[in-house]
């Protein structure tokens, strides 16, 4: 039944991408501010109608993120002094830093157990707020890059505060509101109950209630992934039934798959948006299918012994639908899990790892996926463009030295963070001490942790004691650099693109809307990533999977 | 240069290149070795990394000698040498041309008007010198007095002498060329040491070659790839040490010990992964591109201009000489009522017998071909030449005294208004019919010449601009390449449109003044288009300077040559089309070899990763899909392939990849198949073959 699950998801996304993409186009191009927005701008002292240059845009974005970081860190450290703490102690400094970075960077790596660490105030006004705004930041950056392509001969790219507020208020909040109601109907809890004992099948268990549904919906919609509970979407209060599982995957993919349409409308060529969508779709379908195949084949010792790769998966979802969730969460920057990737078959686990290594571009995190994919398109155009006998251009904008420099730097950041981080962990006492497994699998767990953090995914393979100071700091730095360095490069690229006057399209122009180009971007993406990570993958999942 | 023949444009559009002489490789070897100096090699970061790796492995091999280690060391050094060889060969071809040019730059002596002689090298801008028959012109300048025939074969390779005269668009002379007849006074325009020949020598030698914008951008991408692979290889070390530590029972292998992957293998992997193929050939591709232009007698003043040529989306072509044959030809005789075609033809021929203009000749030829009228000697005739005032020419014949009843005859041909006036003055009353015929011919783009005799209009000669054969196909080709062609002409819009339609250009600019031309270029550029044009006159200079690719004709003025960024020594405006193709070919070659280089990496991983780690994780031997004999032979094979492919591709880099004008999609598909897919497959086959050969060497098992 796995394929009906996948097919119905695809169908739902096909239906929603158009109206949502068009709606987002109107949100980011409208010149009107509504009452609530005007109030917020007055409160913040923002001149909403003034346009920003890329550097100003970047400074505003970074300032906002630093303040978010400090507030979130403070909330955690002071939670015992504030209300709704449920009696929990202040969060230890290294975990608080790691968590603050994690939520501000849209990673939502969790070095803590939510239900036994965070009170309702931190969860709601700290974590959940960041779930909204960090997603809105990602979308703002993507829209800015798109403006870079769409505008001509200007050095301004829009207003960060307007993009941030509109993304939150006009896009994320309304969908989240409806989505939360659906999830409550599906059996998710939404209350303010603290830890209490309930009678379970095997005796009394401790359960913490809370505003779960409202946080769950933005956790998926904003491709955040930080669960209210430690077991994340495998917890019945976060993901009650088979159909809430479907709905959560749908929420994860909803915005990322609609943004290419927004892109197409903004650059005035919807077909360009569909080409990008096709690249994302091809890679995603390929990955989901392979993950399903590997998991259903169950080609590993334990699955062979018990008849299916069910270890670490919940029977209410089943093998196939868990695999689909696993692929969706790593193809985007979500990192929510409804099953344990650590227990996947070696190749199934490798797929989740590989999805992240792709840079989370198919379809990727909200906003981050689109700008990551556009960077890959720029790199593809650079090489392919030369092969048609012209200096390269994408959407009429020349890809010259400055553009390729910024795109290259963007592309360099995450592989360097992943590989250097992993290498440091493997050559360092503090890094090795946290390993609970040996052999290639143990290595995969470390590799996964750094891949997840650097790509701002947030899911964990497990098997590593990551709440140690060394890992909290190392992974925290990976998340921070993995988020904001690329963003600065993207904004700078947008700035230099917006300045250009577009070159008119002729028969000599490389067409970037045909299957030929889609195939090339897919090929370049997979080959570049494979070449970068093959040695590491060989020592991890490949060694484990080919052990036979 | 003198041995080069001028290639005529072929309709297939295939841009060929010079052949690669194997001896050239040997001759360039010393230069290639000189380039091993890191001070010069730092300009090529990819190869610098290879050299550092080669030094490092040499040290390791000295400390711990083995056949395998030394074999790797040798091939790593060879990789760098091969890369330098590619550049040296490309430069070598330029050097040969420079040597020929230097011969023209013999020590000449200049003579001032006062009769004082000074060495040519001491001439300053503005100096005035006298050059007489048999003397060498001492420097670049403009003729300010006199007219002379000049042998310019030293720079153009063309042995036929050209005329240089003061004033007008044929006033420029080049230092080093020889005056064959007469005497001219030349005002020097060059600065000392910056003559045209000096610049040509510098250009073909690549002395001050600067990286072009696209080359810089590509270098950045290659540097980024190099960094990625550097990080991937270095960070692999702690992972490998840990993996080895997990399996303490497995004995150390040559590739992997408890201390990690051996330095030699690590460097081998790195060199195989970084884009050495394109890194090695990149500068050779650029030099060869300039060289291909030189072979066609075009001098590009900068590599940037060659690159821009590939991007051109609008071509401005002068009608005369480029699209049409340059002169109009008679194509029809249209008589008025009451006159037979034969009579008209006879009168037309008579009026043109002494007319040596191309138009006049064409009338005589046409009369002979179509009406069988042979040229004849005419007695007692007074020829009336064309003047700007009368705007007509013809003949006045006195009565032949030897023939009784013979009457004199006056025949005129010329511009309609002028001839009609002459007829009216002679008492005639031309009918409206003449006006209709004239208008009809004008409307069809032709030039009407009215033929009349005293008091009576006989008819009209239809002179037609003849479009060169094959031009329509050429322009169709351009259109498929996405290039818009605009015809520039001084003709009236009606005539211009007719010729534009016949030639198949996309647009035309009629009654064009230099200002109109400049405005058109600016307008195209505002829309983001790159414009190429040719020009020779001083009044073309602003437009040449404004255009992205401005090709000045060598026959043109110094101002035009100064303003353009290319000079065509053959002064053949049609060559603009070839220049565009060469620009495109240069960019395609770069892109194709970059794709090939990156695609190669896949096979190398399949060779080296199992070689390194199969001992620890036997399952990884599954990745050894080429079934290479041993880890040592696998690694060595990959390194050898990586080096040999550079040499194998030197001819391609110099010649440029095959280019046929077609749409971007088709070009891309073809190149993707050949260089993308080929780049993936070729190394699998190559490495396997090398492995089959070297597996029997000592130390390979």
């Amino acid at each position: 039944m796995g394929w009906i699950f996948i097919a119905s998801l695809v169908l739902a996304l096909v239906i929603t991408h158009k109206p949502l993409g068009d709606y987002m186009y109107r949100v980011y191009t409208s010149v009107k501010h509504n009452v609530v927005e005007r109030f917020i701008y007055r409160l913040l002292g923002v001149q909403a109608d003034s346009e920003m240059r890329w550097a100003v845009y970047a400074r505003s974005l970074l300032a906002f993120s630093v303040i978010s970081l400090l507030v979130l860190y403070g909330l955690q450290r002071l939670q015992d002094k504030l209300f709704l703490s449920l009696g929990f102690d202040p969060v230890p400094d290294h975990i608080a830093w790691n968590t603050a970075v994690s939520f501000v960077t849209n990673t939502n790596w969790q070095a803590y157990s939510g239900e036994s660490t965070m009170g309702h105030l931190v969860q709601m006004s700290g974590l959940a707020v960041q779930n909204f705004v960090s997603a809105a930041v990602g979308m703002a950056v993507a829209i800015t890059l798109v403006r870079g392509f769409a505008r001509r001969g200007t050095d301004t790219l829009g207003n960060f505060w307007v993009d941030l507020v509109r993304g939150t208020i006009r896009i994320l909040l309304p969908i989240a509101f409806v989505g939360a109601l659906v999830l409550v109907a599906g059996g998710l809890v939404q209350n303010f109950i603290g830890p209490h004992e309930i009678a379970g099948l095997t005796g009394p268990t401790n359960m913490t209630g809370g505003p779960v549904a409202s946080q769950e919906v933005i956790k998926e919609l904003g491709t955040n992934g930080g669960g209210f509970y430690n077991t994340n979407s495998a917890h019945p209060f976060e993901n009650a039934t088979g159909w809430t599982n479907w709905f959560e995957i749908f929420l994860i993919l909803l915005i990322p798959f609609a943004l290419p349409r927004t892109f197409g409308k903004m650059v005035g060529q919807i077909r360009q948006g569909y080409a990008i969508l096709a690249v994302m779709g091809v890679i995603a379908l390929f990955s989901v299918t392979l993950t399903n195949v590997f998991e259903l084949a169950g080609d590993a010792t334990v699955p062979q012994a018990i008849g299916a790769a069910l270890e670490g998966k919940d029977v209410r979802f089943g093998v196939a639908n868990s695999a689909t969730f696993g692929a969706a969460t790593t193809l985007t920057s979500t990192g929510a899990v409804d099953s344990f990737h650590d227990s996947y078959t070696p190749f199934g686990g490798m797929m989740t790892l590989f999805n992240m290594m792709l840079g989370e571009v198919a379809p990727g995190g909200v906003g981050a996926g689109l700008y990551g994919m556009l960077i890959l398109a720029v790199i593809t155009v650079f090489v392919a463009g030369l092969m048609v006998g012209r200096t390269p251009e994408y959407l009429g904008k020349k890809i010259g030295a400055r553009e390729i420099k910024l795109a290259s730097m963007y592309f360099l950041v995450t592989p360097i963070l992943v590989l250097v981080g992993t290498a440091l962990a493997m050559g360092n006492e503090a890094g090795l001490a946290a390993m609970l497994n040996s052999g290639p699998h143990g290595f995969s767990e470390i590799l996964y942790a750094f891949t997840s953090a650097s790509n701002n995914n947030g899911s964990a393979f497990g098997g590593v004691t990551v709440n140690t100071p060394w890992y909290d700091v190392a992974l925290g730095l990976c998340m921070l650099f993995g988020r904001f360095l690329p963003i600065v490069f993207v904004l700078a690229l947008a700035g230099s693109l917006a300045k250009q006057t577009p070159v008119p399209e002729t028969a000599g122009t490389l067409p970037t809307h045909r299957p030929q180009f889609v195939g090339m971007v897919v090929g370049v993406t997979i080959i570049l990533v494979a070449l970068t990570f093959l040695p590491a993958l060989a020592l991890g999942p490949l060694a484990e999977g080919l052990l036979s | 240069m003198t041995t080069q023949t001028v290639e005529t444009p072929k309709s297939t559009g295939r841009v060929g290149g010079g052949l690669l002489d194997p001896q050239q490789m040997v001759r360039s070897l010393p230069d290639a070795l000189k380039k091993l100096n890191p001070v010069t090699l730092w300009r090529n970061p990819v190869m610098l990394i290879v050299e550092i790796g080669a030094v490092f492995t040499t040290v390791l091999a000295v400390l711990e000698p083995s056949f395998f280690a030394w074999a790797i060391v040798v091939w790593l050094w060879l990789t760098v040498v091969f890369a330098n060889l590619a550049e040296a060969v490309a430069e070598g071809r330029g050097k040969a041309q420079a040597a020929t040019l230097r011969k023209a730059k013999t020590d000449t002596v200049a003579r001032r008007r006062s009769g004082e002689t000074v060495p040519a090298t001491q001439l300053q801008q503005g100096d005035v010198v006298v050059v007489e028959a048999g003397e060498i012109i001492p420097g670049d300048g403009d003729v300010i007095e006199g007219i002379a025939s000049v042998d310019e074969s030293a720079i153009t390779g063309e042995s036929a002498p050209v005329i240089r005269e003061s004033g007008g668009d044929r006033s420029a002379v080049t230092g080093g060329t020889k005056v064959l007849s007469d005497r001219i006074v030349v005002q020097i325009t060059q600065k000392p040491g910056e003559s045209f020949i000096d610049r040509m020598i510098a250009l073909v030698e690549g002395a001050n070659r600067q990286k072009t914008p696209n080359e810089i951008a590509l270098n950045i991408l290659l540097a980024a790839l190099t960094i990625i692979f550097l990080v991937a290889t270095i960070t692999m070390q702690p992972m490998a040490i840990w993996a080895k530590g997990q399996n303490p029972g497995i004995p150390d292998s040559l590739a992997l010990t408890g201390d990690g992957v051996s330095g030699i293998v690590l460097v081998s992997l790195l060199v195989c992964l970084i884009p050495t193929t394109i890194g090695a050939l990149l500068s050779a591709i650029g030099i060869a591109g300039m060289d291909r232009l030189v072979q066609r007698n075009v001098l590009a003043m900068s590599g940037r201009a060659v690159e821009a040529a590939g991007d051109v989306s609008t071509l401005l072509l002068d009608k005369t000489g480029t699209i049409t044959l340059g002169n109009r030809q008679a194509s029809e005789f249209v008589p008025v009522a009451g006159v037979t075609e034969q009579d008209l033809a006879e009168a037309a021929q008579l009026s043109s017998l002494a007319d040596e203009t191309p138009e006049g000749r064409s009338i005589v030829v046409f009369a002979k071909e179509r009406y069988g009228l042979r040229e004849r000697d005419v007695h007692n005739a007074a020829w009336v030449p064309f003047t700007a005032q009368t705007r007509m020419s013809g003949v006045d014949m006195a009565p032949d005294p030897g023939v009784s009843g013979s009457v004199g005859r006056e025949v005129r041909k010329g511009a309609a208004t002028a001839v009609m006036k002459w007829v009216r003055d002679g008492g005639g009353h031309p009918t409206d019919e003449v006006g209709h015929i004239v208008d009809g011919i004008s409307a069809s783009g032709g030039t009407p010449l009215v033929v009349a005799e005293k008091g009576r209009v006989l008819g009209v000669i239809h002179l037609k601009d003849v479009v060169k054969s094959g031009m329509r196909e050429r322009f169709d080709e351009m259109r498929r390449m996405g290039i818009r062609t605009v015809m520039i002409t001084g003709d009236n819009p009606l005539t211009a449109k007719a010729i534009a339609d016949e030639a198949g250009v996309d647009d035309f600019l009629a009654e064009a003044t230099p200002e109109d031309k400049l405005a058109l270029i600016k307008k195209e550029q505002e829309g983001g288009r790159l414009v190429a044009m040719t020009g020779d006159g001083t009044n073309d200079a602003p437009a040449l300077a404004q255009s992205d690719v401005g090709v000045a004709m060598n026959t043109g003025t110094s101002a035009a040559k100064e303003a353009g960024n290319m000079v065509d020594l053959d002064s053949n405006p049609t060559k603009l089309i070839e220049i565009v193709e060469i620009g495109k070919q240069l960019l395609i070659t770069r892109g194709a070899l970059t794709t090939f280089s990156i695609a190669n990496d896949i096979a190398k991983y399949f060779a080296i990763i199992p070689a390194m780690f199969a001992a620890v994780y036997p399952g990884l031997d599954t990745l050894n899909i080429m079934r290479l004999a041993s880890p040592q032979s696998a690694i060595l094979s990959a390194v050898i392939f990586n080096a040999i492919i550079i040499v194998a591709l030197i001819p391609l880099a110099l010649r440029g990849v095959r280019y046929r004008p077609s749409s971007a999609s088709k070009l891309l598909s073809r190149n993707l198949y050949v260089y993308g897919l080929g780049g993936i497959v070729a190394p699998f086959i190559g490495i396997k073959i090398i492995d089959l050969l070297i597996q029997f060497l000592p130390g390979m098992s």
Side-chain angles (χ1 to χ4, degrees), chain A residues 379 382-384 386-392 398-401 404-405 408 411-412 415-416 419-420 422-424 426-427 432 435 437-440 442-443 501-504 506-511 514 516 520 527-528 530-532 534-536 538-539 542-543 546-548, chain B residues 213-214 216-218 220-221 224-225 227-229 231-232 235-236 238-240 242-243 246 307 310-313 479-482 526-529 584 587-588 590-592 594-595 598 601-602 605 609 613 617-620 622-623 663-665 667-669 671-672 675 680:
Chain A
I379 293 178
F382 187 78
V383 178
L386 283 177
M387 279 197 288
V388 304
R390 283 167 72 107
T391 59
K398 283 277 173 203
I399 309 301
I404 202 70
K405 190 198 294 170
S408 296
F411 187 78
L412 281 175
I416 289 179
L419 292 172
V420 172
T422 309
L424 286 178
M426 301 313 293
L432 292 174
M435 291 175 70
N437 284 304
S438 62
F443 173 75
T501 312
V503 182
T506 68
T509 312
L510 169 78
R514 301 233 180 99
Q516 181 190 46
M520 272 206 77
I527 288 178
L528 274 187
L531 291 178
T532 310
L534 207 58
L539 291 171
L542 279 177
L546 295 170
L547 214 53
S548 49
Chain B
N214 177 259
I216 292 170
L218 185 54
I220 292 171
L221 184 70
L225 288 171
I227 292 172
I228 285 193
F229 291 127
V231 170
T235 56
M236 196 181 68
M239 306 176 193
W242 184 81
Q246 291 287 295
E307 223 163 63
D311 278 352
V312 161
S313 43
R479 202 167 299 116
R480 279 197 298 277
M481 287 158 66
E526 266 162 33
R529 292 186 175 85
K584 284 193 178 295
L587 294 171
I588 294 176
R590 258 183 220 156
T594 305
T595 309
I598 297 171
D601 280 4
I602 298 172
Y605 263 132
I609 285 186
F613 299 129
Y617 299 127
L620 290 179
T622 320
L623 295 182
S663 74
S665 273
L667 268 176
L668 182 59
S669 293
N671 290 324
L672 267 183
Y675 300 97
I680 293 175

Side-chain angles (χ1 to χ4, degrees), chain B residues 410-432:
Chain B
E410 289 176 35
V411 184
R412 292 289 184 278
K413 71 165 196 298
T417 46
V419 176
M420 304 277 260
K421 184 171 179 294
W422 177 77
V423 170
R424 282 196 202 93
D425 291 349
H429 302 282
T431 57
D432 286 347

